[in-house]
Amino acid sequence: MELTLNDHLRDSYNALPTLGDAARSYQTRDAHDQVYGIIAQFFVDKGVHQIYGLTLIHQNFLLKHNERLVRYQDFSTPWTFQSRANLSAFKHKGHILPRSYRFVDGKAVAYEFKFVDAWSGHISDIGPFMKELDVFLQQLGLPDLFGVCLLNRYSSCWTLFQFTEGRTNILMPRSQIEKGSTELMWKFEEDSQYGCQCMEYSYRRAAG
């Protein structure tokens, strides 16, 4: 499968459903049982559950021209770039690499990025798994609801809540799940009783 950066990145990102719309779709389509059941088993069976997680596709705010949403540690903010042509970019003595993808017309399209200090110089060949996941989500009728992300420093004891302040997403640890929160990202476990753990929630469901 081709990994790509949409030529109209801002327009593509801005066309994503709002958090509120994505949350309602997750509920009305009874996706919870599938995430914690056959989707979790799919990731484990493919042997990629320590590398990739599942994401609820959404946007919290709009991007401007030549912006990408970039995560560094517990913050995601819009960063400005001179070119939208390449998947990777060099900035602030570090590298901007794809973190989250969604599937569009048989392609894995990057819609969220991450900042790393060091990089080997090439993006791993994740095309084969992406192709299988795309077909699988289409079979479930959920390719517009879920994407895939690269895992990094998550551990099984962490639950993070996402707050949005202005045009910044902030992740904070919480010991309890807040009432009205929305599941945003899942990490799958081979030996877990449930086979899946939600690692990120929104603080509360957005109205829009």
Side-chain angles (χ1 to χ4, degrees):
M1 170 176 280
E2 180 183 355
L3 307 181
T4 183
L5 178 67
N6 193 289
D7 290 337
H8 304 285
L9 179 63
R10 178 204 55 184
D11 296 335
S12 177
Y13 180 86
N14 290 350
L16 298 180
T18 65
L19 175 58
D21 286 342
R24 283 186 286 272
S25 183
Y26 179 75
Q27 283 191 326
T28 59
R29 295 159 76 175
D30 296 323
H32 178 276
D33 290 345
Q34 297 184 76
V35 169
Y36 285 81
I38 58 176
I39 295 179
Q41 193 61 51
F42 178 85
F43 275 73
V44 171
D45 287 347
K46 297 299 178 182
V48 299
H49 54 289
Q50 298 296 328
I51 305 172
Y52 307 113
L54 190 76
T55 61
L56 182 70
I57 298 172
H58 70 284
Q59 50 98 341
N60 296 90
F61 42 76
L62 301 180
L63 295 181
K64 298 178 181 179
H65 182 65
N66 279 7
E67 286 185 337
R68 300 182 192 181
L69 185 63
V70 178
R71 174 178 290 193
Y72 179 65
Q73 297 184 351
D74 293 332
F75 300 89
S76 295
T77 58
W79 290 27
T80 303
F81 294 83
Q82 296 299 317
S83 172
R84 295 181 293 183
N86 299 318
L87 274 173
S88 62
F90 184 79
K91 192 167 187 176
H92 300 310
K93 298 183 179 180
H95 300 272
I96 312 301
L97 303 175
R99 178 182 180 272
S100 300
Y101 294 87
R102 64 190 183 102
F103 300 107
V104 181
D105 298 329
K107 297 180 180 180
V109 179
Y111 69 92
E112 184 183 11
F113 298 79
K114 62 181 179 180
F115 176 88
V116 297
D117 295 315
W119 179 43
S120 64
H122 106 179
I123 296 174
S124 301
D125 181 15
I126 59 179
F129 168 69
M130 291 291 198
K131 184 175 182 178
E132 291 183 89
L133 180 59
D134 183 21
V135 172
F136 183 63
L137 291 176
Q138 288 187 49
Q139 292 172 344
L140 298 178
L142 300 172
D144 59 321
L145 189 61
F146 295 123
V148 62
C149 68
L150 294 168
L151 300 173
N152 44 28
R153 59 185 180 79
Y154 293 103
S155 64
S156 59
C157 62
W158 288 8
T159 298
L160 299 173
F161 279 81
Q162 177 182 279
F163 299 77
T164 300
E165 285 291 334
R167 299 175 73 230
T168 300
N169 295 331
I170 307 166
L171 291 174
M172 298 183 182
R174 287 291 184 270
S175 59
Q176 295 182 343
I177 299 173
E178 301 282 348
K179 182 179 179 180
S181 59
T182 298
E183 294 176 293
L184 300 179
M185 194 281 282
W186 299 265
K187 180 180 183 293
F188 303 108
E189 302 287 347
E190 186 173 13
D191 300 323
S192 171
Q193 177 183 357
Y194 301 103
C196 173
Q197 181 179 10
C198 182
M199 303 301 295
E200 292 182 15
Y201 295 79
S202 71
Y203 175 60
R204 55 180 175 271
R205 184 168 301 125

